[in-house]
Amino acid sequence: MMTAANLGARVTGWGFAVFTLGSLCWIAVGLSGGQTSLVVANGALFVINAIGVWRWLGLQSAREDGAGAAKQASRRAATPTLFPATELAGMPVVTLAGEELGLAVEALVECLSAQISYVVVSTAGSWMVDEILRAVPCGQLTFQPDRLVLALSREAFAELSPLPKGDWPAAL
């Protein structure tokens, strides 16, 4: 659960640490019982999990710390202007009236201008099982430190055409 939930670098890294400990335990069981295949399989898993620990607790957590420091410094400034782009996915999207519409799942950036063309917003589908994805032009959004504010009403947002799964437009 710790790695599958993707709750940040530290939680994911500690998930890999648990896996690494499990691999070491199974290697010990395999060595004590003469089970070569168990030792070999868990030796390979140990290497994979150790790389996961290094990547998530080392590299990625340091990146998140740096981005978080910039975000906090920006919030202390007269006008908060920064948030890590990696936090865009999962940010709540609300109307001007503060009604929650869904979550941002992706932003598409134009290569030449380096400007966001559109943001894909996910809303719950039927029975909260499926999701409906809609593309919102960047000009319709105001970026805030912890959410995106949509300049459309809930009704106008619902009238935007749903995106076909796996076939998003090149531009809006």
Side-chain angles (χ1 to χ4, degrees), residues 148-162:
L148 303 177
V149 180
L150 181 60
L152 300 174
S153 66
R154 178 180 291 280
E155 294 75 24
F157 173 74
E159 289 177 11
L160 295 175
S161 298

Side-chain angles (χ1 to χ4, degrees), residues 14-131:
W14 282 108
F16 276 107
V18 170
F19 288 158
T20 303
L21 180 62
S23 295
L24 287 173
C25 291
W26 282 111
I27 289 170
V29 168
L31 288 172
S32 67
Q35 300 173 4
T36 307
S37 58
L38 186 61
V39 172
V40 170
N42 279 283
L45 289 174
F46 172 79
V47 171
I48 292 167
N49 293 326
I51 292 170
V53 169
W54 169 75
R55 180 179 188 269
W56 291 102
L57 284 180
L59 294 178
Q60 194 63 29
S61 66
R63 293 173 184 161
E64 284 183 9
D65 289 347
K71 177 181 176 179
Q72 292 306 318
S74 176
R75 285 187 176 183
R76 288 188 300 270
T79 307
T81 58
L82 299 175
F83 68 85
T86 54
E87 287 185 10
L88 183 68
M91 254 190 191
V93 178
V94 300
T95 65
L96 288 171
E99 300 173 273
E100 282 206 30
L101 294 172
L103 297 174
V105 295
E106 189 63 82
L108 285 294
V109 178
E110 295 173 358
C111 293
L112 294 177
S113 68
Q115 300 293 314
I116 295 175
S117 174
Y118 65 92
V119 173
V120 178
V121 178
S122 170
T123 55
S126 56
W127 298 88
M128 301 292 281
V129 174
D130 199 12
E131 69 178 354

